[in-house]
Amino acid sequence: MTKFYFDVRDVFRAPRLALSAKKILLQFMGLLVGYLGYLVFTYLAFLSSGSSFSETWEYRGLFPFGDFLFTEWYSWLIFIFGCLIALICWLLASTMVAKVTYEQLKGDDFYSSKEAFRFLKKHFAPAFLSPLSMLAFIAFLIICGIIVGLLGKIPYLGELGIGIFYLIPLFAAALCLAYVIFIFFVSLLLAPAVVATLKEDTFETIVQIFSTVWNQAWRYFVYTGLVGLMSKLGIFIFGYFSFRAVQFIHLSCGVFMKDKLTDITEQALSYITIPERFLDYFSNIFAGLNFRFHLPEIGPGIYLNWSGEISAFLIAISLIFIIFMVLSYGLAIISTGQTVTYIILRKKKDDDDLLKRKTETEEEEERREISEIPPEAEEEKEKA
């Protein structure tokens, strides 16, 4: 079992623990599936809003981010559904990464992705229902506020009612709403770690999230801030080396291909319509510091023959995979860091050392041994 200090020193292990092909691949698959779901439903939203496929493809390409000027309400519903798919995929992938990290910290370095997926099939619901339950409660409180506003339009009685009940219950409910919204965003980070370590249901997961933030607030936010900084730094470093790797490909292959490779690459980049501010954020080490690697500008593309177009499209897909791989490392740092953070805070809060619990392998062996005990031996044991 890994030596654990149960303090801030353990948080700095997150980048090293996350630098694992297994964890990055799990996070990558969640990111990829979520992206595909988002892409499909966003295109459906644009189509249902009256935009043609060719128009949407021309202006938004493979990354339809920003300028969601939908003219129909159901288009917004389709778009929101796509966003929920992306969110759920991220939460599920984070849960698997958290589970692999937890088992590794308990001493099982060979806990596989297949076992993590098997665990997820049994405990997938709390991982995303915990945040979504809070979101539903937030929506309920907002709807209640709207109803109160409608009642306030009643002449005389409505105005008096607003004045009388402004402090209690309106202010109290609004204060509760603000706190629940805050915890909702925390749950997006912490819920996978709670599910992976405790294997609890949705209600208990929500209770643990509230309890952790309430009892260990300053530690949680300091540790999470450190994890966020390390995630940003990890993305920058991994992104830098990935960028240089792509440059090396073009330097070597461009010796003979020359302008042909340049044209294909330019056309490939035209498919990747990622907002410039997004690329600038990840190509710079930290906001406010001008320490960056300069990505090529994305242009409108150029005309190529059919083979060149196919090549450009395949290169665009490859570049998207590289971008997702870089982001997956950053997300893996967050998932790993949140798992480590929760293990520390659980010890501080309840004096419960989660690392002393049996690994999944040990639990499976124990269940197998119990099932192999003959009934006669069980009866003799009970009599004794």
Side-chain angles (χ1 to χ4, degrees), residues 38 70 76 80 86 95 108 140 174 206 221 264 290-291 346:
Y38 169 84
F70 302 126
W76 281 106
I80 291 171
T95 302
D108 189 356
F140 171 74
I206 294 174
F221 292 112
I264 292 174
N290 190 19
F291 186 80
R346 178 79 175 192

Side-chain angles (χ1 to χ4, degrees), residues 10 29 62 68 72 84 88 102 106-107 118 131 133 141 165 174 218 239 261 308 314 326 359 373 378:
D10 298 314
M29 293 305 298
L62 292 171
F68 302 115
E72 304 293 343
L84 284 176
I88 290 171
Y102 179 50
K106 288 194 295 181
R118 192 183 304 126
S133 298
L141 290 180
F165 298 110
W218 75 267
L261 181 60
L314 293 175
V326 172
T359 64
I373 297 176
E378 283 285 344

Side-chain angles (χ1 to χ4, degrees), residues 137-323:
F137 184 67
I138 290 168
F140 171 74
L141 290 180
I142 292 174
I143 292 172
C144 288
I146 294 172
I147 293 173
V148 170
L150 289 174
L151 295 175
K153 294 185 68 176
I154 299 174
Y156 308 118
L157 290 177
E159 297 158 3
L160 289 172
I162 289 291
I164 293 171
F165 298 110
Y166 191 86
L167 183 61
I168 299 176
L170 292 181
F171 175 75
L175 187 62
C176 175
L177 174 62
Y179 185 64
V180 173
I181 291 174
F182 178 72
I183 297 297
F184 164 73
F185 287 106
V186 172
S187 71
L188 297 178
L189 300 175
L190 193 55
V194 175
V195 173
T197 53
L198 299 183
K199 299 185 285 189
E200 298 287 0
D201 58 15
T202 300
F203 178 77
E204 184 60 29
T205 301
I206 294 174
V207 169
Q208 286 299 322
I209 293 170
F210 273 92
S211 174
T212 301
V213 175
W214 184 261
N215 291 289
Q216 298 289 330
W218 75 267
R219 280 194 178 96
Y220 176 75
F221 292 112
V222 169
Y223 294 176
T224 300
L226 290 173
V227 170
L229 289 174
M230 289 185 288
S231 175
K232 178 65 175 70
L233 185 60
I235 288 175
F236 174 79
I237 294 173
F238 196 5
Y240 172 80
F241 282 100
S242 299
F243 173 66
R244 293 304 180 196
V246 172
Q247 281 189 323
F248 289 146
I249 292 174
H250 285 262
L251 282 173
S252 57
C253 296
V255 172
F256 292 106
M257 291 187 70
K258 296 183 179 179
D259 291 341
K260 180 182 288 188
L261 181 60
T262 302
D263 293 342
I264 292 174
T265 304
E266 186 175 339
Q267 179 65 10
L269 290 174
S270 69
Y271 292 121
I272 307 175
T273 54
I274 301 177
E276 187 176 347
R277 62 183 181 276
F278 181 83
L279 293 175
D280 287 343
Y281 175 77
F282 288 107
S283 62
N284 193 24
I285 186 167
F286 288 116
L289 297 176
N290 190 19
F291 186 80
R292 64 192 314 123
F293 53 92
H294 295 278
L295 297 172
E297 294 185 2
I298 298 175
I302 60 175
Y303 175 77
L304 298 172
N305 59 21
W306 66 270
S307 59
E309 287 287 349
I310 294 175
S311 177
F313 184 76
L314 293 175
I315 290 175
I317 298 297
S318 300
L319 291 175
I320 290 172
F321 277 23
I322 293 170
I323 293 170

